[in-house]
């Protein structure tokens, strides 16, 4: 009898240990899930609160890339300037180059977004549909790469929220002061002085167009030394900016 009962006791003990481990694993997963939820809520609240703090014109926000440069001791050049001290043609050129519907959408250009979705469903190469507002919230609160698709899911509602609270002039002012225009060069004042040796208010139509078309890839595109392709693109944006009319009316 003793020989029969010992294995049964062992099996029961092993079963109890396995059940205990499963309970501990479930409890651990629940704790991890709660912690992840708390972290997600905190990360969601940060841009909501910061957007309110960024409303006054005397507040000068910095971008996540600028923070990265500070943390890595890379340093950067950024000189905040009011939108009133930026040549209007620069803002007009940026709108006509980056987001022609800036004055009319509410943070997200739904027409462009539908086109991207249709292209993706058809298996075609997708084009960019990022608005100036979306780029602003990305630069202020989010990351560039990797996980760009995950970032877009967060970026869209943030852009709508940001646009609902901010005036178009304030959005443009923040964007022009945090956009990257070269390695360690942030904001239009630093960019104008670095590339052309003038202030943002003194930029010519040609200089403004060159700066605007360099924005999609400021590391590879140098507005002070444009290649033939960049010069042709700048000529197109220069013509569009001169006829921008109502497309830039929200900045008046």
């Amino acid at each position: 009898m003793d020989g029969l009962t010992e294995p049964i006791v062992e099996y029961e003990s092993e079963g109890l240990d396995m059940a205990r481990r499963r309970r501990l694993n479930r409890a651990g997963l629940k704790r991890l899930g709660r912690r992840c939820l708390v972290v997600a809520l905190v990360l969601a609240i940060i841009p909501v609160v910061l957007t309110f703090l960024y409303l006054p014109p005397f507040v000068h926000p910095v971008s996540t890339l600028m923070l990265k440069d500070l943390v890595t001791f890379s340093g950067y050049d950024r000189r905040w300037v009011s939108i009133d001290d930026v040549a209007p043609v620069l803002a007009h050129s940026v709108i006509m180059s980056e987001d022609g519907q800036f004055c009319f959408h509410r943070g997200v250009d739904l027409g462009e977004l539908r086109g991207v979705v249709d292209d993706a469903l058809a298996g075609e190469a997708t084009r960019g549909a990022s608005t100036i507002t979306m780029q602003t919230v990305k630069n202020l609160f989010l990351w560039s790469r990797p996980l760009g698709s995950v970032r877009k899911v967060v970026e869209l509602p943030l852009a709508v929220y940001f646009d609902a609270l901010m005036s178009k002039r304030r959005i443009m002012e923040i964007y022009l002061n945090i956009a990257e225009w070269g390695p360690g060069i942030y904001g239009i004042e630093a960019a104008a002085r670095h590339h052309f040796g003038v202030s943002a208010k003194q930029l010519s139509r040609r200089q403004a167009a060159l700066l605007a078309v360099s924005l999609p890839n400021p590391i590879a595109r140098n507005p002070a030394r444009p290649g033939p392709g960049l010069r042709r693109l700048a000529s197109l944006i220069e013509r569009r900016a001169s006829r921008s009319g109502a497309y830039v009316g929200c900045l008046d």
Side-chain angles (χ1 to χ4, degrees):
M1 292 292 291
D2 291 342
L4 292 174
T5 56
E6 288 179 3
I8 293 174
V9 171
E10 289 177 2
Y11 292 149
E12 289 179 348
S13 178
E14 289 176 3
L16 289 172
D17 287 342
M18 291 178 62
R20 189 179 298 113
R21 283 196 293 269
R22 282 196 294 268
R23 285 197 299 271
L24 289 173
N25 287 338
R26 284 197 294 268
L29 288 173
K30 287 180 180 178
R31 284 196 298 271
L32 179 61
R34 286 194 294 268
R35 288 172 183 170
C36 290
L37 181 60
V38 170
V39 170
L41 288 173
V42 170
L43 291 177
I45 289 170
I46 288 173
V48 171
V49 174
L50 286 178
T51 298
F52 274 102
L53 295 179
Y54 293 161
L55 284 170
F58 58 81
V59 177
H60 301 166
V62 296
S63 69
T64 51
L65 281 177
M66 295 163 71
L67 290 175
K68 185 206 72 161
D69 286 348
L70 283 176
V71 170
T72 57
F73 301 102
S74 302
Y76 62 81
D77 184 8
R78 197 281 289 269
R79 312 171 197 188
W80 184 277
V81 61
S82 165
I83 193 170
D84 294 326
D85 292 322
V86 177
V89 70
L90 184 278
H92 299 173
S93 298
V94 168
I95 288 177
M96 301 314 293
S97 177
E98 295 279 286
D99 181 9
Q101 297 300 310
F102 174 71
C103 285
F104 306 110
H105 62 64
R106 291 294 175 259
V108 177
D109 189 336
L110 295 178
E112 284 293 317
L113 191 60
R114 278 193 293 267
V116 170
V117 172
D118 291 342
D119 289 345
L121 293 175
E124 300 176 3
T126 57
R127 60 189 183 276
S130 185
T131 65
I132 287 173
T133 313
M134 290 168 65
Q135 293 176 57
T136 303
V137 298
K138 181 199 75 174
N139 291 344
L140 283 176
F141 308 125
L142 304 174
W143 59 93
S144 295
R145 286 180 177 83
L147 300 177
S149 58
V150 176
R151 187 201 72 219
K152 285 292 182 185
V153 174
V154 181
E155 192 177 291
L156 290 172
L158 264 181
V160 173
Y161 170 73
F162 200 78
D163 190 272
L165 290 185
M166 295 271 182
S167 69
K168 292 291 187 179
R169 278 181 64 83
R170 179 60 173 164
I171 292 172
M172 179 60 73
E173 182 177 68
I174 292 174
Y175 179 63
L176 293 180
N177 278 286
I178 63 174
E180 185 180 24
W181 260 290
I185 306 298
Y186 296 96
I188 187 56
E189 184 69 17
R193 293 185 181 279
H194 176 80
H195 292 297
F196 298 115
V198 299
S199 70
K201 197 165 189 175
Q202 297 171 318
L203 286 166
S204 68
R205 291 191 305 169
R206 185 63 176 176
Q207 291 167 341
L210 285 166
L211 283 165
V213 298
S214 71
L215 274 172
N217 193 349
I219 304 302
R221 297 181 179 183
N222 187 334
R225 298 185 185 87
L230 202 63
R231 287 198 296 270
R232 284 194 297 272
L233 190 55
S235 296
L236 174 63
I237 296 304
E238 189 175 348
R239 289 195 298 273
R240 287 181 178 176
S242 66
R243 302 192 297 266
S244 52
Y247 286 100
V248 298
C250 60
L251 300 183
D252 295 337

